Amino acid sequence: MLSLVLMTLSLKALSQADGAVYFKGAIKENRDKVYRNILQNSITKNISLTLNTETEENWTDAFGAIELLHYRSPWIDSRISIAFDSLEKRGTDFQRSLLELAFSGYPGLFKQQVTALLNSTGSAKIFAMCAEYLQLNKIDLFAGINLANKKNQLARDEKGEAITHQLIYRIQNQAPQSNSIAISAVLTADFLKHRVILYSFQRKNRNYPGLAVIRDSAGNFVKDANGTIFSIPQLARSISNLPGYLTNGNTPQGIFRMYGFDTSKSYFIGPTTNIQLTLPFETSLRHFFNDSTITDSTWTEDWYRKLLPAVLKNYQPLFESFYAGKAGRTEIIAHGTTVNPESYHDEIFYPQTPTMGCLCTKEIWSGVDGRRLESDQQKLAAALNEGGGPDGYCVVVELDDAQRPVTLNEILSLLKQGAKK
């Protein structure tokens, strides 16, 4: 399986010596070998098997590998069609993985099969993934359907309630919201006062990179050597491009607890210092609020609202992280990348690379010896350390739906507007 291949590789791929940082997997011969291994074993071998109950796991592994390599071919397409022909009778893991692949790689091609699964599934997550897939083609999903009744049918537990809540909200709020009030409010000195904040400003279209800036605990923004506010491009797009409340979706908007640095042995994250984050529900109230006096153990919207300014206590876009955590999402962090960017050379965000839903910064590694040549992630970690360290909050906010990367001039303009209020 793909995961076993990469676990084995990860033990040998990372090293540091004499202050230099290396990812030996970036050496061209090694990258070519891994690519061939994934293509031949995780993809071709697995979906060459006859699809049945015993081989569903093999096919599921192949779907993830196809996503990762951004790989398409006529033969692959024909095998994906076979997978969709029996979609309704497959297990939920198979359905979820195939729908995830289809959302990014085959939009609109399997509407009939997805509609049939939408109408038959009892899983809130599968239902939501079907609905999001069909929404790509602006299909009126719930004409004549009582949404409250549908929610009651699917929200059988905490996770199901969170998923259906977010799905219905998204369907009923298709028009872009004005974010000016939210942006002004989260930039004030009173927001999360005395806490270090890593801001990640993003576009609604996550194909366009966002921008990260840092506010220290005194309310000042960290500056670079030239006296300009420090900023680093940051991608909040997942490989699937699913919405943030779903597993492996884009980084959700909202508040995350930031609580330290770490390094990873993951083949795709690499050895550069990463920033640890947690979602609501993923950690305790006491840890999230960094308050040892809290004895309550139950997360609620009211608890989350305590973190928000008065004008934002009912601003639903900033509740995405709350509902993502309630739906079961975990392990969203801010990290660099050792993914080969050439797999995404035709994408808007190139040479940055997507993730499984984390915040990701650009890194360039030598194809000759694996040395780290460029690292926005290391710059981000150093700036955060200068601003007081990784103990505070990360706040992800979408600015608007402009079809371009976020720029520092935009952030400076927003800060000036906020200062006048």
Side-chain angles (χ1 to χ4, degrees):
M1 293 177 63
L2 175 63
S3 57
L4 293 177
V5 171
L6 297 176
M7 283 174 63
T8 301
L9 288 167
S10 69
L11 298 177
K12 302 177 181 178
L14 313 176
S15 65
Q16 299 189 39
D18 300 325
V21 180
Y22 294 86
F23 169 63
K24 293 183 179 179
I27 297 172
K28 186 179 185 305
E29 293 81 2
N30 293 340
R31 270 194 164 148
D32 290 346
K33 182 179 179 180
V34 170
Y35 184 90
R36 289 193 303 269
N37 195 356
I38 294 174
L39 181 58
Q40 293 169 7
N41 294 310
S42 293
I43 298 177
T44 305
K45 183 178 179 180
N46 279 335
I47 60 174
S48 293
L49 298 170
T50 301
L51 178 56
N52 53 45
T53 303
E54 287 71 30
T55 62
E56 280 187 17
E57 186 176 350
N58 299 86
W59 281 65
T60 298
D61 194 54
F63 299 152
I66 292 167
E67 273 195 281
L68 172 67
L69 295 188
H70 208 47
Y71 188 81
R72 291 285 295 270
S73 75
W75 181 76
I76 292 290
D77 293 348
S78 70
R79 303 303 285 175
I80 297 302
S81 294
I82 289 173
F84 267 102
D85 286 343
S86 59
L87 180 62
E88 280 188 83
K89 67 180 183 181
R90 297 295 161 206
T92 54
D93 286 344
F94 181 97
Q95 292 171 345
R96 188 196 63 75
S97 295
L98 182 56
L99 288 167
E100 182 180 313
L101 172 61
F103 189 86
S104 59
Y106 299 87
L109 295 184
F110 299 103
K111 291 179 286 187
Q112 181 178 347
Q113 296 94 324
V114 173
T115 300
L117 181 58
L118 175 91
N119 292 326
S120 64
T121 185
S123 163
K125 182 176 287 187
I126 298 300
F127 182 89
M129 294 182 77
C130 289
E132 294 289 356
Y133 179 84
L134 296 172
Q135 281 287 288
L136 292 172
N137 290 88
K138 309 299 182 184
I139 295 174
D140 188 357
L141 299 170
F142 298 120
I145 293 179
N146 186 309
L147 287 179
N149 288 343
K150 195 67 182 178
K151 182 175 180 179
N152 288 336
Q153 292 170 14
L154 294 167
R156 299 172 181 172
D157 55 21
E158 188 175 73
K159 293 180 180 179
E161 194 281 330
I163 290 169
T164 53
H165 178 281
Q166 285 291 278
L167 172 64
I168 292 171
Y169 172 79
R170 283 170 53 80
I171 289 172
Q172 294 179 331
N173 293 272
Q174 293 294 316
Q177 282 192 257
S178 172
N179 291 353
S180 58
I181 294 176
I183 295 162
S184 297
V186 299
L187 285 172
T188 63
D190 288 335
F191 174 59
L192 298 175
K193 196 171 183 178
H194 304 310
R195 303 290 191 181
V196 176
I197 302 178
L198 168 61
Y199 290 97
S200 187
F201 293 104
Q202 299 292 328
R203 302 290 189 204
K204 182 178 177 64
N205 183 345
R206 297 296 182 83
N207 285 319
Y208 294 94
L211 203 69
V213 299
I214 299 163
R215 195 195 76 185
D216 66 22
S217 59
N220 302 310
F221 283 84
V222 173
K223 296 183 178 180
D224 61 22
N226 297 318
T228 303
I229 287 180
F230 169 86
S231 64
I232 283 293
Q234 194 173 54
L235 195 67
R237 190 211 195 266
S238 69
I239 297 174
S240 71
N241 205 24
L242 282 163
Y245 71 95
L246 290 169
T247 302
N248 297 340
N250 295 330
T251 315
Q253 292 188 81
I255 301 173
F256 298 72
R257 175 77 162 92
M258 176 174 62
Y259 68 99
F261 290 132
D262 202 354
T263 55
S264 172
K265 292 187 180 297
S266 165
Y267 189 81
F268 297 127
I269 294 176
T272 304
T273 300
N274 63 60
I275 302 161
Q276 293 291 295
L277 310 173
T278 53
L279 290 157
F281 293 87
E282 184 181 6
T283 190
S284 67
L285 286 164
R286 179 178 292 194
H287 177 258
F288 203 91
F289 282 81
N290 195 22
D291 185 348
S292 61
T293 67
I294 294 176
T295 57
D296 197 341
S297 61
T298 304
W299 268 101
T300 63
E301 282 193 354
D302 285 340
W303 268 111
Y304 187 77
R305 286 189 179 95
K306 293 177 185 292
L307 298 164
L308 297 169
V311 296
L312 298 180
K313 290 192 183 296
N314 293 303
Y315 181 74
Q316 284 299 303
L318 285 183
F319 279 76
E320 285 182 8
S321 61
F322 174 86
Y323 283 104
K326 187 175 182 180
R329 291 203 70 177
T330 60
E331 299 179 3
I332 295 175
I333 63 174
H335 61 74
T337 178
T338 48
V339 172
N340 186 355
E342 296 311 311
S343 293
Y344 303 94
H345 70 274
D346 57 343
E347 297 290 347
I348 293 169
F349 48 77
Y350 175 84
Q352 291 182 266
T353 60
T355 66
M356 305 303 282
C358 294
L359 295 167
C360 188
T361 45
K362 183 181 72 173
E363 293 194 296
I364 304 297
W365 303 83
S366 170
V368 176
D369 63 1
R371 182 187 294 264
R372 191 179 67 191
L373 302 177
E374 181 181 345
S375 176
D376 282 352
Q377 180 64 22
Q378 193 57 41
K379 295 174 186 175
L380 179 62
L384 185 57
N385 212 33
E386 182 182 337
D391 184 11
Y393 294 95
C394 174
V395 181
V396 181
V397 185
E398 289 179 357
L399 299 181
D400 52 35
D401 199 22
Q403 304 299 296
R404 62 179 186 273
V406 178
T407 66
L408 180 58
N409 283 339
E410 290 178 85
I411 307 305
L412 295 176
S413 177
L414 292 167
L415 287 171
K416 288 179 182 177
Q417 292 175 27
K420 293 177 181 178
K421 295 184 178 180

